[in-house]
Amino acid sequence: MDHVPILKIGDVLLVSIQTDLQDQTVLALQEDLADRIVTSGANGVIIDITAVDIVDSFIGRMFATIAAMSRLMDAETVVVGMRPAVAITLVELGLSLGGVRTALDLEEGMRLLGARPPAAATDVS
């Protein structure tokens, strides 16, 4: 089973999904994320699904469950990097990610949460 990393950036947790999601991986992520929200006191969660090519109904429902769980622990969720094929699949499956905001990229996701994105490298030449 793959492990999905959860990084802390300020008061936001970044979940960067870099592998195909299996049911067990998503269930483990749900538990890990709940623990990290509590221990870190994060007030926002960004789920980066840029590398996700396909989702099924279980994975889609789990994203909604993770968002609901995060809200109960006072952390807003933003999903970033959704590919058009993933969005189409979610709609075709009749799944809505109620309470989940979306953004095109990490920078916009951070902005939606009122957090400052990591400083970009600047050219000093």
Side-chain angles (χ1 to χ4, degrees):
M1 175 174 70
D2 291 322
H3 175 75
V4 177
I6 302 172
L7 308 171
K8 188 171 187 314
I9 303 172
D11 57 356
V12 172
L13 295 177
L14 172 61
V15 178
S16 182
I17 300 172
Q18 299 297 317
T19 182
D20 288 333
L21 293 170
Q22 305 299 318
D23 293 355
Q24 288 301 103
T25 306
V26 176
L27 290 171
L29 170 60
Q30 183 176 331
E31 290 180 31
D32 291 347
L33 186 56
D35 289 340
R36 287 292 302 273
I37 290 170
V38 169
T39 59
S40 70
N43 65 15
V45 174
I46 295 179
I47 302 174
D48 183 357
I49 62 170
T50 304
V52 175
D53 291 324
I54 57 171
V55 294
D56 60 17
S57 60
F58 179 76
I59 303 298
R61 282 193 311 273
M62 291 312 297
F63 283 152
T65 299
I66 287 170
M69 172 197 68
S70 298
R71 268 194 318 277
L72 287 173
M73 291 186 275
D74 202 26
E76 184 179 356
T77 301
V78 176
V79 173
V80 301
M82 187 178 302
R83 294 173 184 244
V86 171
I88 290 167
T89 301
L90 291 173
V91 170
E92 288 174 346
L93 291 171
L95 297 173
S96 72
L97 301 180
V100 178
R101 297 168 76 182
T102 58
L104 292 176
D105 57 29
L106 177 59
E107 185 175 348
E108 181 62 24
M110 296 288 284
R111 203 172 297 122
L112 284 174
L113 291 174
R116 292 178 37 200
T122 55
D123 186 9
V124 207
S125 53

